[in-house]
Amino acid sequence: MRRPSLFSVTALSAMLAWHPMPASAEPVARTATPIEHVIVIVGENHSFDNLFATYKPKHGQTVRNLLSEGIVNADGTPGPNFGKAAQWQASDTDVYRLDPTKTQPYATLPQPNTTYANGQPPCVPDQRFPANLPNGPFQNTKYVPYDSYTGDPVHRFFQMWQQVDKGQHDLFTWVAQTVGIGGQNVPPTTPADTYQGGVQMGFYNMHTGDVPYFKKLAREYAISDNYHQAIMGGTGANFISIGTAGDAAFYNTNGTPTMPPANQIENPDPMPGTNNFYKQDGYAGGSYVNCADPTQPGVSAIMNDLNTQPNKPFNGGNCAADTYYLVNNYGPGYNPDGTPAPLGPTHFTLPPQTM
């Protein structure tokens, strides 16, 4: 995981937060609630518990995190309910499942990987961390300084749905080890070849001084432990959702939804002979989903789960027919000079969008 930072304030947020009024204009009417401005701060590639695991709210407020659940203590050590966060291994060899058959818990977490951490050798076990971490959340800053970089946990659409395991939250490590970021559709020889290890179980200890700016914002303004992101998956699709309240899709030059190149359509069904390594995934292949078609790989598993929830999906999922939506990261649709970026099987860029 990269060091927490103030990553971005969206253009929408900036517009809401700063709206100069001409000197001659009438005073703006007061809002119906005390909320007058909304500023969205995006800390990329970090989960709520990764940053707020040990956050203690003000008197009269509550929060649900690793500390309040007794999973860790305020000093970052395992808490009385540490076992609730134990990670399991599983088996999935035919079709994509949100809750594959679990086989056994990890005896210890696999050693976290460096992935793309600045200042570290890339994609190797991170020697700063023990190779036998207890099976559960661990405090990053017990092993590395707060201002140093650690590995980047997988954050892609189908992986994250599967990691949650229908609310059990016990397949983060297994999914990371079996498929990782998709490996550009090259299956791993060993679990280490997905370059993840146990990196996704690390957290920062806000109670002992980590992440001070986010703590300050939470105490002075507002915090939500019920909402983390609009779309399971990467930054690109989520930025678009924040700014448009929708999702990007693949359009032709006339602005009509059309099918993207075949190698850019997600297929999370396991490759033959592998345990859960997706057939079509990765930053250079597999990022669009036709979510209106339940026969598409992975779609029925997610829609069936959503339809069992107390709050049903809006408009049955709100997916337009024959439309392939972006669920991961892609390049922008325009070059710096304003010309459209090239499209095609070897170009992983988002087409211009119809809003």
Side-chain angles (χ1 to χ4, degrees), residues 58-197:
K58 290 182 178 180
H59 179 72
Q61 298 178 349
T62 61
V63 68
R64 188 179 183 187
N65 58 13
L66 297 183
L67 180 61
S68 70
E69 293 293 295
I71 293 171
V72 301
N73 298 316
D75 63 359
T77 58
N81 297 326
F82 186 72
K84 290 175 62 176
Q87 296 298 291
W88 280 72
Q89 300 175 62
S91 176
D92 194 350
T93 59
D94 49 4
V95 298
Y96 176 79
R97 293 180 174 86
L98 297 186
D99 55 347
T101 301
K102 288 194 275 286
T103 55
Q104 61 182 355
Y106 284 90
T108 58
L109 290 179
Q111 192 168 23
N113 199 277
T114 59
T115 66
Y116 329 111
N118 286 359
Q120 301 299 317
C123 299
V124 296
D126 194 332
Q127 300 302 317
R128 298 172 297 174
F129 293 90
N132 60 345
L133 286 164
N135 182 5
F138 60 90
Q139 182 179 326
N140 285 327
T141 46
K142 285 187 179 295
Y143 307 104
V144 299
Y146 174 65
D147 60 355
S148 67
Y149 288 84
T150 57
D152 191 17
V154 60
H155 44 282
R156 290 180 65 80
F157 182 79
F158 285 105
Q159 285 91 326
M160 290 180 67
W161 270 101
Q162 199 172 46
Q163 285 178 316
V164 170
D165 189 19
K166 293 189 175 182
Q168 298 301 307
H169 303 285
D170 56 5
L171 294 179
F172 288 100
T173 301
W174 176 76
V175 173
Q177 280 210 295
T178 54
V179 63
I181 63 170
Q184 318 312 347
N185 305 325
V186 178
T189 302
T190 70
D193 292 340
T194 56
Y195 310 126
Q196 286 287 308

Side-chain angles (χ1 to χ4, degrees), residues 245-283:
D247 192 13
F250 193 87
Y251 295 94
N252 62 20
T253 55
N254 296 321
T256 303
T258 190
M259 182 181 292
N263 68 314
Q264 297 183 23
I265 299 173
E266 284 275 359
N267 185 344
D269 289 342
M271 278 188 179
T274 73
N275 182 13
N276 202 51
F277 189 81
Y278 302 165
K279 289 180 179 178
Q280 186 72 32
D281 187 65
Y283 285 101

Side-chain angles (χ1 to χ4, degrees), residues 18-31:
W18 184 77
H19 187 70
M21 183 174 62
S24 60
E26 293 294 326
V28 177
R30 295 188 62 83
T31 56

